[in-house]
Amino acid sequence: MSIALLATGDELVIGDTLNTNSQQLAHILHSEGLTLGFHLTCGDQEIGILTALQFLAPHHDIIIITGGLGPTSDDRTRFALAQFMNIVLQEYLLASEHIEKRLKNANLPMTEENRQQALFPPNATLLPNPLGTAMGCYLQWNGKLFFLLPGPPRECLPMFNTYALPLLGNAQRNNTVLLKWRLFGSAEGQIAQQFDDALATLDCE
């Protein structure tokens, strides 16, 4: 079972913002023994997100998408996913109420732009976001599992750890053992040769 990470956002592509979400998610998933495939980063354009999904879906069982769930015109992740799945998004009352409550607490009005954050694919299960207006979700589609998570790390990582990761509890783990060394004072080529020699000795035995 292979997992792909797709991070969206022009700020990531042009280097203004470091993509720490993918780094942190990859570390957590690998620590759990889950197999990672591609990491992709694309901009905010809907066609770019769609193209990334078309590339990833045939080769991965689980696709985790971060970013693009906000209220602005360049937050296009949900719309690209709808186009990819050939579905119509629907407004979820639970999400609308969450957005209204968050905005009310901040003395801000509910606008049509904010309302787009309540749109999700049919049959999606919403993921709570106590730290922002953008709820996440997960859904099964054509034998694949998709997660939508908000982009800000302070929202993305708690949502993943608290709600998304437990849903992967039954996912197939790999048995790969990764050994890491911290070596000082030796060249990489020298260490590689010594390692190869040691393996050859084990094979002979």
Side-chain angles (χ1 to χ4, degrees):
M1 179 170 290
S2 180
I3 303 174
L5 301 179
L6 173 59
T8 71
D10 288 344
E11 71 280 5
L12 303 179
V13 172
I14 65 176
D16 277 352
T17 300
L18 187 63
N19 182 12
T20 57
N21 282 337
S22 290
Q23 186 268 335
Q24 291 291 328
L25 294 180
H27 181 74
I28 294 168
L29 291 166
H30 178 74
S31 298
E32 291 290 323
L34 295 165
T35 302
L36 288 159
F38 280 94
H39 295 208
L40 290 186
T41 302
C42 66
D44 291 313
Q45 294 74 26
E46 193 168 323
I47 184 61
I49 303 171
L50 175 61
T51 301
L53 290 170
Q54 291 170 335
F55 174 77
L56 293 172
H59 310 291
H60 298 85
D61 305 290
I62 300 169
I63 299 176
I64 301 173
I65 311 168
T66 60
L69 300 182
T72 62
S73 60
D74 62 350
D75 288 310
R76 306 303 299 173
T77 295
R78 53 176 36 91
F79 301 104
L81 185 64
Q83 187 176 348
F84 171 72
M85 295 180 173
N86 194 27
I87 58 174
V88 177
L89 299 174
Q90 66 182 45
E91 184 172 341
Y92 281 64
L93 179 60
L94 178 63
S96 297
E97 291 175 343
H98 169 76
I99 296 165
E100 289 178 356
K101 182 178 179 179
R102 293 284 305 184
L103 293 174
K104 183 178 180 180
N105 290 339
N107 294 317
L108 296 171
M110 180 74 166
T111 66
E112 285 304 312
E113 288 76 15
N114 290 120
R115 196 170 296 279
Q116 83 173 16
Q117 292 184 286
L119 299 176
F120 291 95
N123 301 318
T125 300
L126 301 188
L127 300 176
N129 183 3
L131 300 172
T133 57
M135 298 186 75
C137 79
Y138 72 93
L139 71 153
Q140 293 273 356
W141 181 84
N142 280 9
K144 312 284 184 179
L145 181 59
F146 291 80
F147 287 90
L148 300 184
L149 304 176
R154 67 182 295 270
E155 300 175 32
C156 176
L157 298 176
M159 183 183 292
F160 177 78
N161 284 315
T162 304
Y163 303 107
L165 185 58
L167 295 169
L168 301 177
N170 295 325
Q172 182 179 357
R173 264 60 175 174
N174 63 56
N175 295 318
T176 302
V177 176
L178 180 64
L179 302 177
K180 298 181 181 180
W181 290 272
R182 292 179 182 269
L183 303 171
F184 302 90
S186 298
E188 181 179 359
Q190 181 184 7
I191 296 298
Q193 184 60 56
Q194 292 175 350
F195 183 74
D196 290 341
D197 293 342
L199 287 179
T201 301
L202 291 175
D203 289 340
C204 292
E205 297 175 354

mmCIF file of all heavy atoms in Angstrom, residues 87-121:
data_model
loop_
_atom_site.group_PDB
_atom_site.id
_atom_site.type_symbol
_atom_site.label_atom_id
_atom_site.label_comp_id
_atom_site.label_asym_id
_atom_site.label_seq_id
_atom_site.Cartn_x
_atom_site.Cartn_y
_atom_site.Cartn_z
ATOM 1 N N ILE A 87 -17.548 14.870 -10.009
ATOM 2 C CA ILE A 87 -18.626 14.969 -9.038
ATOM 3 C C ILE A 87 -18.969 16.436 -8.820
ATOM 4 O O ILE A 87 -18.255 17.340 -9.264
ATOM 5 C CB ILE A 87 -18.232 14.334 -7.691
ATOM 6 C CG1 ILE A 87 -16.966 15.012 -7.138
ATOM 7 C CG2 ILE A 87 -18.024 12.826 -7.832
ATOM 8 C CD1 ILE A 87 -16.585 14.560 -5.745
ATOM 9 N N VAL A 88 -20.082 16.662 -8.128
ATOM 10 C CA VAL A 88 -20.504 18.013 -7.762
ATOM 11 C C VAL A 88 -20.343 18.164 -6.256
ATOM 12 O O VAL A 88 -20.836 17.333 -5.475
ATOM 13 C CB VAL A 88 -21.969 18.268 -8.167
ATOM 14 C CG1 VAL A 88 -22.409 19.657 -7.714
ATOM 15 C CG2 VAL A 88 -22.136 18.119 -9.680
ATOM 16 N N LEU A 89 -19.639 19.201 -5.839
ATOM 17 C CA LEU A 89 -19.457 19.456 -4.412
ATOM 18 C C LEU A 89 -20.792 19.844 -3.785
ATOM 19 O O LEU A 89 -21.662 20.412 -4.440
ATOM 20 C CB LEU A 89 -18.445 20.576 -4.201
ATOM 21 C CG LEU A 89 -17.025 20.338 -4.732
ATOM 22 C CD1 LEU A 89 -16.192 21.605 -4.558
ATOM 23 C CD2 LEU A 89 -16.356 19.161 -4.041
ATOM 24 N N GLN A 90 -20.918 19.543 -2.509
ATOM 25 C CA GLN A 90 -22.126 19.946 -1.793
ATOM 26 C C GLN A 90 -21.749 20.663 -0.503
ATOM 27 O O GLN A 90 -20.678 20.432 0.057
ATOM 28 C CB GLN A 90 -23.009 18.738 -1.485
ATOM 29 C CG GLN A 90 -22.415 17.742 -0.513
ATOM 30 C CD GLN A 90 -23.322 16.538 -0.273
ATOM 31 O OE1 GLN A 90 -23.862 15.973 -1.226
ATOM 32 N NE2 GLN A 90 -23.491 16.156 0.973
ATOM 33 N N GLU A 91 -22.634 21.548 -0.066
ATOM 34 C CA GLU A 91 -22.373 22.290 1.164
ATOM 35 C C GLU A 91 -22.756 21.439 2.368
ATOM 36 O O GLU A 91 -23.847 20.875 2.420
ATOM 37 C CB GLU A 91 -23.158 23.605 1.175
ATOM 38 C CG GLU A 91 -22.856 24.467 2.391
ATOM 39 C CD GLU A 91 -23.474 25.851 2.312
ATOM 40 O OE1 GLU A 91 -23.824 26.285 1.194
ATOM 41 O OE2 GLU A 91 -23.611 26.493 3.372
ATOM 42 N N TYR A 92 -21.852 21.373 3.321
ATOM 43 C CA TYR A 92 -22.076 20.607 4.544
ATOM 44 C C TYR A 92 -22.457 21.567 5.661
ATOM 45 O O TYR A 92 -21.714 22.513 5.968
ATOM 46 C CB TYR A 92 -20.816 19.833 4.932
ATOM 47 C CG TYR A 92 -20.595 18.564 4.154
ATOM 48 C CD1 TYR A 92 -20.370 18.592 2.779
ATOM 49 C CD2 TYR A 92 -20.609 17.314 4.781
ATOM 50 C CE1 TYR A 92 -20.166 17.422 2.065
ATOM 51 C CE2 TYR A 92 -20.404 16.137 4.079
ATOM 52 C CZ TYR A 92 -20.179 16.205 2.720
ATOM 53 O OH TYR A 92 -19.979 15.039 2.008
ATOM 54 N N LEU A 93 -23.595 21.307 6.291
ATOM 55 C CA LEU A 93 -24.083 22.174 7.354
ATOM 56 C C LEU A 93 -23.092 22.242 8.511
ATOM 57 O O LEU A 93 -22.871 23.319 9.080
ATOM 58 C CB LEU A 93 -25.441 21.679 7.853
ATOM 59 C CG LEU A 93 -26.079 22.486 8.990
ATOM 60 C CD1 LEU A 93 -26.303 23.940 8.562
ATOM 61 C CD2 LEU A 93 -27.389 21.838 9.435
ATOM 62 N N LEU A 94 -22.500 21.118 8.840
ATOM 63 C CA LEU A 94 -21.526 21.094 9.938
ATOM 64 C C LEU A 94 -20.371 22.049 9.660
ATOM 65 O O LEU A 94 -19.914 22.774 10.551
ATOM 66 C CB LEU A 94 -20.994 19.668 10.127
ATOM 67 C CG LEU A 94 -19.919 19.481 11.215
ATOM 68 C CD1 LEU A 94 -20.475 19.823 12.583
ATOM 69 C CD2 LEU A 94 -19.387 18.046 11.192
ATOM 70 N N ALA A 95 -19.902 22.076 8.417
ATOM 71 C CA ALA A 95 -18.799 22.968 8.055
ATOM 72 C C ALA A 95 -19.252 24.421 8.084
ATOM 73 O O ALA A 95 -18.521 25.303 8.552
ATOM 74 C CB ALA A 95 -18.255 22.601 6.679
ATOM 75 N N SER A 96 -20.451 24.697 7.570
ATOM 76 C CA SER A 96 -20.974 26.080 7.579
ATOM 77 C C SER A 96 -21.090 26.606 9.002
ATOM 78 O O SER A 96 -20.712 27.750 9.286
ATOM 79 C CB SER A 96 -22.347 26.125 6.896
ATOM 80 O OG SER A 96 -22.255 25.762 5.542
ATOM 81 N N GLU A 97 -21.600 25.783 9.892
ATOM 82 C CA GLU A 97 -21.750 26.204 11.284
ATOM 83 C C GLU A 97 -20.392 26.435 11.938
ATOM 84 O O GLU A 97 -20.223 27.366 12.735
ATOM 85 C CB GLU A 97 -22.542 25.148 12.057
ATOM 86 C CG GLU A 97 -24.002 25.063 11.629
ATOM 87 C CD GLU A 97 -24.740 23.932 12.317
ATOM 88 O OE1 GLU A 97 -24.054 23.020 12.868
ATOM 89 O OE2 GLU A 97 -25.983 23.937 12.300
ATOM 90 N N HIS A 98 -19.427 25.598 11.592
ATOM 91 C CA HIS A 98 -18.072 25.771 12.132
ATOM 92 C C HIS A 98 -17.468 27.093 11.668
ATOM 93 O O HIS A 98 -16.885 27.832 12.469
ATOM 94 C CB HIS A 98 -17.195 24.605 11.672
ATOM 95 C CG HIS A 98 -15.732 24.805 11.952
ATOM 96 N ND1 HIS A 98 -15.177 24.675 13.207
ATOM 97 C CD2 HIS A 98 -14.697 25.156 11.118
ATOM 98 C CE1 HIS A 98 -13.883 24.916 13.144
ATOM 99 N NE2 HIS A 98 -13.563 25.204 11.899
ATOM 100 N N ILE A 99 -17.616 27.396 10.379
ATOM 101 C CA ILE A 99 -17.065 28.639 9.828
ATOM 102 C C ILE A 99 -17.726 29.843 10.481
ATOM 103 O O ILE A 99 -17.050 30.804 10.895
ATOM 104 C CB ILE A 99 -17.255 28.675 8.301
ATOM 105 C CG1 ILE A 99 -16.457 27.532 7.652
ATOM 106 C CG2 ILE A 99 -16.816 30.025 7.741
ATOM 107 C CD1 ILE A 99 -16.856 27.268 6.210
ATOM 108 N N GLU A 100 -19.053 29.823 10.569
ATOM 109 C CA GLU A 100 -19.786 30.938 11.170
ATOM 110 C C GLU A 100 -19.356 31.170 12.616
ATOM 111 O O GLU A 100 -19.195 32.325 13.053
ATOM 112 C CB GLU A 100 -21.289 30.666 11.097
ATOM 113 C CG GLU A 100 -21.855 30.751 9.685
ATOM 114 C CD GLU A 100 -23.331 30.428 9.645
ATOM 115 O OE1 GLU A 100 -23.896 30.073 10.707
ATOM 116 O OE2 GLU A 100 -23.935 30.532 8.552
ATOM 117 N N LYS A 101 -19.167 30.097 13.352
ATOM 118 C CA LYS A 101 -18.762 30.229 14.757
ATOM 119 C C LYS A 101 -17.374 30.832 14.877
ATOM 120 O O LYS A 101 -17.137 31.729 15.698
ATOM 121 C CB LYS A 101 -18.810 28.855 15.436
ATOM 122 C CG LYS A 101 -18.441 28.896 16.914
ATOM 123 C CD LYS A 101 -18.542 27.518 17.551
ATOM 124 C CE LYS A 101 -18.157 27.562 19.023
ATOM 125 N NZ LYS A 101 -18.266 26.213 19.660
ATOM 126 N N ARG A 102 -16.441 30.357 14.036
ATOM 127 C CA ARG A 102 -15.073 30.880 14.075
ATOM 128 C C ARG A 102 -15.058 32.371 13.713
ATOM 129 O O ARG A 102 -14.363 33.166 14.354
ATOM 130 C CB ARG A 102 -14.187 30.108 13.100
ATOM 131 C CG ARG A 102 -13.930 28.660 13.454
ATOM 132 C CD ARG A 102 -12.942 28.478 14.570
ATOM 133 N NE ARG A 102 -11.669 29.145 14.324
ATOM 134 C CZ ARG A 102 -10.627 29.050 15.133
ATOM 135 N NH1 ARG A 102 -10.718 28.327 16.239
ATOM 136 N NH2 ARG A 102 -9.501 29.681 14.868
ATOM 137 N N LEU A 103 -15.812 32.736 12.677
ATOM 138 C CA LEU A 103 -15.838 34.134 12.253
ATOM 139 C C LEU A 103 -16.518 35.019 13.286
ATOM 140 O O LEU A 103 -16.073 36.147 13.536
ATOM 141 C CB LEU A 103 -16.555 34.242 10.904
ATOM 142 C CG LEU A 103 -15.827 33.597 9.715
ATOM 143 C CD1 LEU A 103 -16.698 33.643 8.467
ATOM 144 C CD2 LEU A 103 -14.497 34.291 9.446
ATOM 145 N N LYS A 104 -17.575 34.526 13.877
ATOM 146 C CA LYS A 104 -18.278 35.292 14.906
ATOM 147 C C LYS A 104 -17.366 35.566 16.090
ATOM 148 O O LYS A 104 -17.347 36.679 16.640
ATOM 149 C CB LYS A 104 -19.530 34.541 15.364
ATOM 150 C CG LYS A 104 -20.361 35.311 16.383
ATOM 151 C CD LYS A 104 -21.618 34.537 16.753
ATOM 152 C CE LYS A 104 -22.452 35.317 17.770
ATOM 153 N NZ LYS A 104 -23.689 34.570 18.157
ATOM 154 N N ASN A 105 -16.591 34.556 16.488
ATOM 155 C CA ASN A 105 -15.657 34.749 17.605
ATOM 156 C C ASN A 105 -14.580 35.776 17.287
ATOM 157 O O ASN A 105 -14.015 36.393 18.182
ATOM 158 C CB ASN A 105 -15.004 33.415 17.970
ATOM 159 C CG ASN A 105 -15.977 32.454 18.617
ATOM 160 O OD1 ASN A 105 -17.017 32.857 19.144
ATOM 161 N ND2 ASN A 105 -15.652 31.165 18.595
ATOM 162 N N ALA A 106 -14.309 35.948 15.978
ATOM 163 C CA ALA A 106 -13.309 36.936 15.550
ATOM 164 C C ALA A 106 -13.953 38.247 15.117
ATOM 165 O O ALA A 106 -13.271 39.125 14.579
ATOM 166 C CB ALA A 106 -12.484 36.370 14.400
ATOM 167 N N ASN A 107 -15.280 38.382 15.345
ATOM 168 C CA ASN A 107 -16.032 39.581 14.961
ATOM 169 C C ASN A 107 -15.931 39.865 13.464
ATOM 170 O O ASN A 107 -15.779 41.006 13.037
ATOM 171 C CB ASN A 107 -15.547 40.803 15.762
ATOM 172 C CG ASN A 107 -15.853 40.693 17.246
ATOM 173 O OD1 ASN A 107 -16.947 40.280 17.624
ATOM 174 N ND2 ASN A 107 -14.882 41.032 18.071
ATOM 175 N N LEU A 108 -16.019 38.796 12.670
ATOM 176 C CA LEU A 108 -15.978 38.912 11.214
ATOM 177 C C LEU A 108 -17.271 38.387 10.616
ATOM 178 O O LEU A 108 -17.880 37.456 11.157
ATOM 179 C CB LEU A 108 -14.785 38.124 10.650
ATOM 180 C CG LEU A 108 -13.396 38.622 11.052
ATOM 181 C CD1 LEU A 108 -12.336 37.620 10.592
ATOM 182 C CD2 LEU A 108 -13.135 40.000 10.458
ATOM 183 N N PRO A 109 -17.711 38.969 9.491
ATOM 184 C CA PRO A 109 -18.964 38.521 8.872
ATOM 185 C C PRO A 109 -18.764 37.256 8.037
ATOM 186 O O PRO A 109 -17.660 36.975 7.559
ATOM 187 C CB PRO A 109 -19.348 39.696 7.977
ATOM 188 C CG PRO A 109 -18.026 40.296 7.579
ATOM 189 C CD PRO A 109 -17.131 40.135 8.788
ATOM 190 N N MET A 110 -19.826 36.513 7.857
ATOM 191 C CA MET A 110 -19.817 35.338 6.985
ATOM 192 C C MET A 110 -20.053 35.822 5.555
ATOM 193 O O MET A 110 -21.054 36.478 5.267
ATOM 194 C CB MET A 110 -20.922 34.364 7.391
ATOM 195 C CG MET A 110 -20.999 33.115 6.539
ATOM 196 S SD MET A 110 -19.643 31.975 6.901
ATOM 197 C CE MET A 110 -20.245 30.481 6.103
ATOM 198 N N THR A 111 -19.128 35.543 4.659
ATOM 199 C CA THR A 111 -19.241 35.986 3.268
ATOM 200 C C THR A 111 -19.374 34.775 2.346
ATOM 201 O O THR A 111 -19.152 33.625 2.751
ATOM 202 C CB THR A 111 -17.997 36.786 2.851
ATOM 203 O OG1 THR A 111 -16.849 35.902 2.864
ATOM 204 C CG2 THR A 111 -17.744 37.945 3.818
ATOM 205 N N GLU A 112 -19.709 35.016 1.095
ATOM 206 C CA GLU A 112 -19.797 33.936 0.124
ATOM 207 C C GLU A 112 -18.431 33.285 -0.086
ATOM 208 O O GLU A 112 -18.338 32.087 -0.350
ATOM 209 C CB GLU A 112 -20.347 34.459 -1.200
ATOM 210 C CG GLU A 112 -21.840 34.737 -1.173
ATOM 211 C CD GLU A 112 -22.633 33.502 -0.764
ATOM 212 O OE1 GLU A 112 -22.387 32.412 -1.315
ATOM 213 O OE2 GLU A 112 -23.503 33.628 0.117
ATOM 214 N N GLU A 113 -17.394 34.100 0.017
ATOM 215 C CA GLU A 113 -16.048 33.545 -0.111
ATOM 216 C C GLU A 113 -15.782 32.540 1.008
ATOM 217 O O GLU A 113 -15.201 31.472 0.768
ATOM 218 C CB GLU A 113 -15.009 34.656 -0.078
ATOM 219 C CG GLU A 113 -14.963 35.529 -1.320
ATOM 220 C CD GLU A 113 -16.104 36.535 -1.383
ATOM 221 O OE1 GLU A 113 -16.765 36.761 -0.345
ATOM 222 O OE2 GLU A 113 -16.338 37.087 -2.467
ATOM 223 N N ASN A 114 -16.191 32.871 2.218
ATOM 224 C CA ASN A 114 -16.021 31.936 3.329
ATOM 225 C C ASN A 114 -16.871 30.681 3.137
ATOM 226 O O ASN A 114 -16.465 29.586 3.522
ATOM 227 C CB ASN A 114 -16.417 32.607 4.651
ATOM 228 C CG ASN A 114 -15.450 33.684 5.086
ATOM 229 O OD1 ASN A 114 -15.831 34.844 5.239
ATOM 230 N ND2 ASN A 114 -14.190 33.329 5.289
ATOM 231 N N ARG A 115 -18.016 30.848 2.513
ATOM 232 C CA ARG A 115 -18.945 29.721 2.372
ATOM 233 C C ARG A 115 -18.377 28.615 1.494
ATOM 234 O O ARG A 115 -18.754 27.451 1.634
ATOM 235 C CB ARG A 115 -20.287 30.210 1.830
ATOM 236 C CG ARG A 115 -21.415 29.215 2.006
ATOM 237 C CD ARG A 115 -22.750 29.835 1.673
ATOM 238 N NE ARG A 115 -23.071 30.905 2.594
ATOM 239 C CZ ARG A 115 -23.580 30.720 3.818
ATOM 240 N NH1 ARG A 115 -23.805 29.485 4.249
ATOM 241 N NH2 ARG A 115 -23.857 31.734 4.600
ATOM 242 N N GLN A 116 -17.444 28.955 0.601
ATOM 243 C CA GLN A 116 -16.873 27.895 -0.240
ATOM 244 C C GLN A 116 -16.110 26.870 0.587
ATOM 245 O O GLN A 116 -15.913 25.730 0.160
ATOM 246 C CB GLN A 116 -15.977 28.480 -1.327
ATOM 247 C CG GLN A 116 -14.555 28.813 -0.911
ATOM 248 C CD GLN A 116 -13.674 29.225 -2.091
ATOM 249 O OE1 GLN A 116 -14.159 29.552 -3.155
ATOM 250 N NE2 GLN A 116 -12.373 29.208 -1.884
ATOM 251 N N GLN A 117 -15.696 27.260 1.789
ATOM 252 C CA GLN A 117 -14.979 26.323 2.652
ATOM 253 C C GLN A 117 -15.888 25.224 3.202
ATOM 254 O O GLN A 117 -15.394 24.258 3.788
ATOM 255 C CB GLN A 117 -14.322 27.066 3.814
ATOM 256 C CG GLN A 117 -13.182 27.983 3.401
ATOM 257 C CD GLN A 117 -12.511 28.614 4.601
ATOM 258 O OE1 GLN A 117 -13.064 29.511 5.231
ATOM 259 N NE2 GLN A 117 -11.332 28.134 4.930
ATOM 260 N N ALA A 118 -17.194 25.385 3.030
ATOM 261 C CA ALA A 118 -18.137 24.359 3.483
ATOM 262 C C ALA A 118 -18.458 23.353 2.383
ATOM 263 O O ALA A 118 -19.242 22.427 2.603
ATOM 264 C CB ALA A 118 -19.425 25.017 3.983
ATOM 265 N N LEU A 119 -17.866 23.516 1.207
ATOM 266 C CA LEU A 119 -18.118 22.609 0.087
ATOM 267 C C LEU A 119 -17.153 21.427 0.125
ATOM 268 O O LEU A 119 -15.941 21.610 0.197
ATOM 269 C CB LEU A 119 -17.963 23.363 -1.241
ATOM 270 C CG LEU A 119 -18.907 24.538 -1.495
ATOM 271 C CD1 LEU A 119 -18.540 25.225 -2.801
ATOM 272 C CD2 LEU A 119 -20.361 24.074 -1.509
ATOM 273 N N PHE A 120 -17.718 20.231 0.033
ATOM 274 C CA PHE A 120 -16.923 19.005 0.023
ATOM 275 C C PHE A 120 -17.571 17.984 -0.892
ATOM 276 O O PHE A 120 -18.761 18.096 -1.223
ATOM 277 C CB PHE A 120 -16.795 18.433 1.445
ATOM 278 C CG PHE A 120 -15.949 19.250 2.366
ATOM 279 C CD1 PHE A 120 -16.527 20.191 3.208
ATOM 280 C CD2 PHE A 120 -14.572 19.097 2.390
ATOM 281 C CE1 PHE A 120 -15.757 20.959 4.065
ATOM 282 C CE2 PHE A 120 -13.789 19.855 3.245
ATOM 283 C CZ PHE A 120 -14.373 20.793 4.083
ATOM 284 N N PRO A 121 -16.828 16.969 -1.302
ATOM 285 C CA PRO A 121 -17.425 15.916 -2.125
ATOM 286 C C PRO A 121 -18.525 15.180 -1.371
ATOM 287 O O PRO A 121 -18.466 15.051 -0.135
ATOM 288 C CB PRO A 121 -16.252 14.976 -2.414
ATOM 289 C CG PRO A 121 -15.030 15.813 -2.225
ATOM 290 C CD PRO A 121 -15.377 16.776 -1.138
#
